[in-house]
Amino acid sequence: MLWFLLRRLGVSLITLAAATVVVFVGVRALPGDPAVAMSAESSSPEVLAAIRAEYGLDKPMLVQYGLWVGHALQGDLGKSPTSGLPVAQAVLERLPITFELTVLALLVAVVIGVPLGIVAAVRRGSVLDYLCSTAALAGLSVPNFWLGILLILAFAVHLPWLPASGFVPLTDPIGNLSHMLMPAVVLGTGLAAVIMRQMRSAMLESLSADYVRTARAKGMSERVVVGLHALRNSLVTVVTVVGLQLGALISGAVITEQIFVIPGIGKMTIDSVFSRDYPSLQGVVLVTATGYILANLLVDLAYSLLNPRIRVTGGSS
């Protein structure tokens, strides 16, 4: 188990180092001079030189990268030229909002996708199976922005049950939930469809396995066979899908937060691109990549708990 953990930690650290290079190069590959963008309407050579000196843009690229990584390791992601605030402070203020939206969307996806996948597999070939598969296909086909606009028209304009946009802190739980319900549904619908299809496939494979036939031959009830034996092995597939789709959730949060005007990391990313706020954009992408790598590390650890054979294989390889 210890070797398995160390191996996964090593892979995660290498991936994180590669992510810092991609983030640094990617931001600097954007068209235009960062100093000109930060100087607003001023094009004075003295102002541009002062900006380049303040943000280290007059140094070689390798030196800039080393300074940025060194400061990031100490929790310093630079200062936003737009707001004048430290990027780390802005990220810490917005990160809990995006985290809450992602967790709610994940909850919506699991609550919808897992039961529908089980029902479709147990009732294979029935009307319920076709209905669940059709619902999954619709969930995969509908774009987030279109579904968000439809929900706003339905439940905020025609039926004024929920607010159309904005965010309320968790100090007001009811207000917070009313503002986050539609964004969570919009963000979680696509993942629910993916989970449903993968859950159905995994359950069908488990239900045809020898150990399930043995459990039925022993006289166990169908509820115990499905809920205890087949479901546990099928959950490995769900954990895999959730881990792989976390990146899609985070990228989907960028669009969802923009539609519902939620002041999270996604909206900060869009605002940084429009205002050419390179330190903020760099910091947000780095924090997002780090979160994605940590989530995949947790998924790997969950594998080892759900299926010990994976842990043994990883240790011996």
Side-chain angles (χ1 to χ4, degrees):
M1 181 66 179
L2 180 60
W3 171 244
F4 177 81
L5 288 175
L6 291 176
R7 192 164 172 267
R8 289 295 183 267
L9 279 173
V11 171
S12 299
L13 289 176
I14 293 172
T15 308
L16 182 59
T20 61
V21 175
V22 173
V23 170
F24 182 82
V25 174
V27 170
R28 274 151 184 78
L30 292 174
D33 187 346
V36 175
M38 294 177 191
S39 66
E41 298 179 354
S42 174
S43 59
S44 165
E46 291 77 13
V47 173
L48 295 179
I51 292 175
R52 290 192 180 100
E54 181 178 357
Y55 290 95
L57 298 174
D58 54 347
K59 295 181 174 60
M61 291 287 281
L62 281 177
V63 176
Q64 292 184 41
Y65 174 75
L67 290 173
W68 176 61
V69 172
H71 290 154
L73 288 175
Q74 300 173 34
D76 181 10
L77 297 176
K79 188 174 70 174
S80 168
T82 305
S83 63
L85 297 174
V87 175
Q89 179 184 338
V91 170
L92 286 177
E93 288 175 355
R94 293 168 178 259
L95 190 59
I97 300 174
T98 300
F99 181 74
E100 181 192 353
L101 175 61
T102 305
V103 169
L104 289 175
L106 196 59
L107 188 62
V108 168
V110 171
V111 167
I112 295 175
V114 172
L116 289 185
I118 296 173
V119 170
V122 173
R123 304 294 182 188
R124 182 182 185 184
S126 67
V127 176
L128 277 176
D129 183 15
Y130 289 121
L131 287 176
C132 293
S133 299
T134 303
L137 184 60
L140 286 173
S141 306
V142 177
N144 282 357
F145 69 90
W146 191 73
L147 180 60
I149 294 172
L150 276 186
L151 290 182
I152 289 174
L153 286 174
F155 298 107
V157 178
H158 296 294
L159 300 173
W161 294 346
L162 295 171
S165 61
F167 175 77
V168 172
L170 275 171
T171 50
D172 179 6
I174 296 177
N176 175 270
L177 188 59
S178 66
H179 281 79
M180 297 295 274
L181 185 58
M182 281 200 293
V185 171
V186 169
L187 190 56
T189 301
L191 181 57
V194 175
I195 289 178
M196 180 270 158
R197 291 169 71 93
Q198 296 297 327
M199 189 71 199
R200 178 183 182 275
S201 176
M203 282 294 292
L204 287 176
E205 186 178 348
S206 297
L207 290 173
S208 61
D210 290 339
Y211 66 89
V212 170
R213 280 196 290 271
T214 303
R216 284 172 173 157
K218 286 183 177 179
M220 292 183 180
S221 66
E222 192 65 17
R223 181 175 299 178
V224 174
V225 171
V226 173
L228 186 62
H229 294 282
L231 180 59
R232 180 175 178 181
N233 286 329
S234 302
L235 284 178
V236 175
T237 303
V238 175
V239 171
T240 305
V241 171
V242 169
L244 292 175
Q245 291 293 320
L246 270 178
L249 271 185
I250 295 172
S251 59
V254 174
I255 300 172
T256 306
E257 289 179 359
Q258 195 68 19
I259 293 173
F260 292 95
V261 198
I262 298 174
I265 292 293
K267 191 170 187 307
M268 183 178 175
T269 304
I270 298 291
D271 293 342
S272 301
V273 171
F274 285 150
S275 61
R276 298 288 185 91
D277 188 346
Y278 292 136
S280 296
L281 180 60
Q282 211 165 246
V284 167
V285 177
L286 177 63
V287 170
T288 304
T290 305
Y292 186 61
I293 292 171
L294 284 176
N296 277 276
L297 177 62
L298 293 176
V299 169
D300 284 343
L301 297 180
Y303 282 168
S304 66
L305 295 176
L306 289 171
N307 190 349
R309 288 178 299 176
I310 297 174
R311 184 171 65 229
V312 174
T313 304
S316 61
S317 60

